[in-house]
Amino acid sequence: GEPEQLAYRSPLQWSGEQFAGFTDGNETWVPIPDDYEHYNIKTQKAHGAGVSNIEVFYHLVSLRQEPSLQWGDLSIGHTGNVLFYTRQASRFPGFLVAINFGPTSSTVDFVT
């Protein structure tokens, strides 16, 4: 139903200011989460360690420009609960992506 969906939707939290910097009005249509003063774009940009959600997002978006990820040859494999693939375009660095679908951590030797 609609009330449950609203719990997962909120205005983008731009800053720690009133209404998370989303509006300078008197209210928002959907409530702002209580932790908006800590979790917002301005705070994450100021973090500066390369590990905030926004920094990771920007880095992942920039990877879309890599030739190997755009048109490189694709090779897919799996071992146990780990699905992996490589992409590499001729004369460009390649990428290995590994996703563990298991409930526990896994170690995979990709060298041998």
Side-chain angles (χ1 to χ4, degrees), residues 22-95:
F22 180 75
T23 182
D24 56 5
N26 295 324
E27 63 182 330
T28 58
W29 180 57
V30 177
I32 302 291
D34 293 336
D35 58 2
Y36 74 91
E37 291 180 354
H38 181 70
Y39 296 105
N40 59 68
I41 300 297
K42 185 175 181 181
T43 300
Q44 288 194 18
K45 282 185 171 181
H47 190 270
V51 295
S52 71
N53 291 342
I54 193 73
E55 290 169 312
V56 170
F57 173 77
Y58 285 149
H59 179 70
L60 291 173
V61 167
S62 73
L63 287 175
R64 295 174 65 191
Q65 302 304 313
E66 292 288 338
S68 286
L69 293 177
Q70 288 183 12
W71 59 76
D73 291 336
L74 177 66
S75 177
I76 302 172
H78 70 88
T79 180
N81 291 321
V82 178
L83 172 70
F84 57 89
Y85 68 90
T86 60
R87 291 216 55 187
Q88 184 166 14
S90 179
R91 298 186 307 272
F92 290 96
F95 290 86

Side-chain angles (χ1 to χ4, degrees), residues 94-112:
F95 290 86
L96 165 68
V97 176
I99 305 165
N100 180 3
F101 287 104
T104 60
S105 62
S106 294
T107 301
V108 178
D109 182 2
F110 292 108
V111 177
T112 59

